[in-house]
Amino acid sequence: CSAGIPFDGGLRCLCWKILLNYLPLEKALWSSLLKKQRDLYSQFLKEMIIQPGIAKANLGVSREDVTLEDHVSAVKPFPDSRWNTYFKDNEVLLQIDKDVRRLYPDMAFFQRPTDYPCLLVLDPQSEFETLRRRVEQTTLKAQPVARSRSGLTNVSSPLKAAPSSLSEYEVLPNGCEAHWEVVERILFIYAKLNPGIAYVQGMNEIVGPLYYTFATDPNSEWKEHAEADTFFCFTNLMAEIRDNFIKSLDDSQCGITYKMEKVYSTLKEKDVELYLKLGAAPRPLPGVFAFRWLTLLLSQEFLLPDVIRIWDSLFADAKRFDFLLLVCCAMLTLIRDQLLEGDFTLNMRLLQDYPISDVHLILKKAKELQDSK
């Protein structure tokens, strides 16, 4: 896996599930575990998507009533905690919706309809309020989640330039749902089940490659259950990297600031001259580039197939993402001449729009750094 899983043959979907501790090493247990976890995810859908939607629809309120309700709740919270929760959830949902609609805009995949829409949610006999309807009804009034952090979305790669308007995305007819809507549901349920972190901008960039890999697998069963399997693999992955998304932990030994400093200390071991140029006093280069590289596992720096190839190596890392530090150092050393010649402004610009697209070259260099220890 570390050397790269072939893109054809469907091995990656299976390997990632094992590497992310979703499937156990004992093959005989796979079938029963998958059924159990997929049933559990269906229960999450019923409890967090369907039942609140039914309760809302049963009120029989119109769009205008919802708007008024939002306005009133902003002034005087509803005494019913169930409705307080509903409107707080809407704030999170709106931020998720905004982010997933612009997921990999250079690819058509996330805008296309899935071959396996969630029948629980799209039941034609049901009139309950779906996530799509919730967004349509509350977009104008709800406040966005104030959780953006430096380097996640405001310092984004040109490869991931957002479209000028979300209206460019055509809404699919009833009975169909786009892949981005599936990703939205995964993130919303994750936020509900993990209120301590909820949703932070950038999580969409983590779940996107996972879902794409599972939803494009040649095995029809893997594809059919891509949503549930992605949810649990994403949850397991976030359990390992979630500290990167928690601002209060930034300066702790498990936080992102410490890991950014590790990039510089690792670089110092491998290339002192380059370290002195970038990371030494009196004016060290701010770690904004490393913040994004580490937090998002390089998912904004390269095209999706290249991100997937990098993740083969990251997921297979026995020390869990120590290899990511070496990949970052490899990226720096491969453009060392430009960095040594450049001034502060030029170097910042260079690192925010990394110029090398050959990830195989980068991974090869990272392996050389690893072997030189």
Side-chain angles (χ1 to χ4, degrees):
C1 295
S2 181
I5 305 168
F7 270 86
D8 54 352
L11 278 176
R12 179 173 281 107
C13 188
L14 174 61
C15 291
W16 280 16
K17 287 173 182 175
I18 295 171
L19 293 172
L20 292 172
N21 302 311
Y22 179 46
L23 289 179
L25 295 180
E26 180 56 57
K27 185 176 180 180
L29 301 175
W30 291 355
S31 180
S32 59
L33 182 139
L34 287 172
K35 184 180 187 307
K36 176 185 175 183
Q37 295 300 90
R38 290 163 180 173
D39 288 346
L40 177 60
Y41 187 75
S42 293
Q43 190 61 35
F44 291 157
L45 288 174
K46 292 172 184 175
E47 293 177 2
M48 297 173 209
I49 306 290
I50 295 174
Q51 289 176 4
I54 290 173
K56 186 70 176 174
N58 285 344
L59 288 178
V61 295
S62 66
R63 182 186 177 90
E64 290 74 25
D65 291 327
V66 172
T67 304
L68 175 62
E69 199 171 53
D70 283 348
H71 178 71
V72 171
S73 69
V75 178
K76 183 178 181 181
F78 274 44
D80 187 340
S81 62
R82 184 167 56 104
W83 291 117
N84 276 334
T85 299
Y86 180 89
F87 290 115
K88 286 180 181 178
D89 287 348
N90 276 4
E91 295 179 357
V92 177
L93 175 59
L94 288 176
Q95 185 60 66
I96 294 173
D97 186 80
K98 176 183 175 184
D99 291 344
V100 298
R101 284 176 183 262
R102 62 188 180 193
L103 190 60
Y104 287 94
D106 54 303
M107 296 179 61
F109 170 80
F110 287 98
Q111 309 310 318
R112 289 177 181 154
T114 172
D115 293 334
Y116 300 97
C118 182
L119 300 180
L120 277 174
V121 171
L122 298 178
D123 182 358
Q125 304 300 317
S126 174
E127 291 297 323
F128 78 86
E129 184 188 46
T130 62
L131 292 186
R132 186 194 296 178
R133 286 187 206 165
R134 284 179 69 166
V135 170
E136 290 170 352
Q137 291 180 340
T138 59
T139 296
L140 295 179
K141 291 294 179 181
Q143 295 297 315
V145 179
R147 292 197 177 209
S148 178
R149 292 168 64 204
S150 175
L152 286 182
T153 54
N154 52 345
V155 187
S156 59
S157 165
L159 291 173
K160 304 293 182 67
S164 58
S165 171
L166 295 183
S167 64
E168 292 178 16
Y169 294 144
E170 185 175 345
V171 175
L172 297 174
N174 290 336
C176 298
E177 60 179 354
H179 288 291
W180 68 261
E181 294 183 83
V182 181
V183 175
E184 177 174 75
R185 197 158 52 235
I186 292 169
L187 288 169
F188 182 73
I189 291 176
Y190 177 83
K192 288 283 290 176
L193 289 172
N194 296 273
I197 185 172
Y199 173 76
V200 180
Q201 287 179 303
M203 289 181 182
N204 57 309
E205 303 286 352
I206 299 295
V207 75
L210 289 174
Y211 175 74
Y212 175 84
T213 298
F214 295 169
T216 57
D217 191 88
N219 183 323
S220 60
E221 183 189 353
W222 288 137
K223 288 174 69 172
E224 181 178 358
H225 297 285
E227 178 176 352
D229 293 346
T230 299
F231 171 81
F232 288 108
C233 286
F234 172 70
T235 299
N236 288 354
L237 179 56
M238 284 301 301
E240 298 188 45
I241 66 171
R242 60 177 285 162
D243 291 350
N244 295 344
F245 290 86
I246 301 175
K247 186 172 177 57
S248 61
L249 296 178
D250 280 359
D251 297 323
S252 70
Q253 283 208 344
C254 58
I256 190 63
T257 302
Y258 177 78
K259 292 171 186 173
M260 288 159 59
E261 291 172 352
K262 283 277 286 182
V263 172
Y264 275 137
S265 63
T266 305
L267 180 65
K268 186 178 182 180
E269 295 174 13
K270 306 298 182 182
D271 192 328
V272 174
E273 184 182 6
L274 186 56
Y275 163 75
L276 292 173
K277 173 73 174 185
L278 300 181
R283 194 182 185 192
L285 202 67
V288 171
F289 69 93
F291 181 98
R292 191 177 73 206
W293 292 2
L294 295 170
T295 303
L296 303 184
L297 305 182
L298 297 169
S299 61
Q300 279 201 334
E301 312 313 312
F302 305 99
L303 297 174
L304 183 56
D306 295 324
V307 172
I308 290 170
R309 169 60 193 93
I310 292 172
W311 283 17
D312 287 344
S313 296
L314 296 186
F315 293 167
D317 180 15
K319 295 185 178 179
R320 293 321 249 171
F321 307 118
D322 276 8
F323 190 66
L324 178 59
L325 299 175
L326 295 172
V327 173
C328 292
C329 287
M331 292 170 67
L332 295 172
T333 57
L334 284 170
I335 57 170
R336 73 184 306 275
D337 291 343
Q338 293 165 269
L339 291 171
L340 290 174
E341 292 175 5
D343 60 17
F344 181 89
T345 303
L346 286 175
N347 285 344
M348 280 297 295
R349 191 175 303 150
L350 187 66
L351 292 172
Q352 289 179 15
D353 185 11
Y354 189 74
I356 296 178
S357 59
D358 185 351
V359 298
H360 299 283
L361 176 65
I362 294 168
L363 291 169
K364 180 182 177 182
K365 183 64 176 178
K367 189 69 171 65
E368 290 174 2
L369 294 176
Q370 185 180 52
D371 294 341
S372 68
K373 284 187 176 181

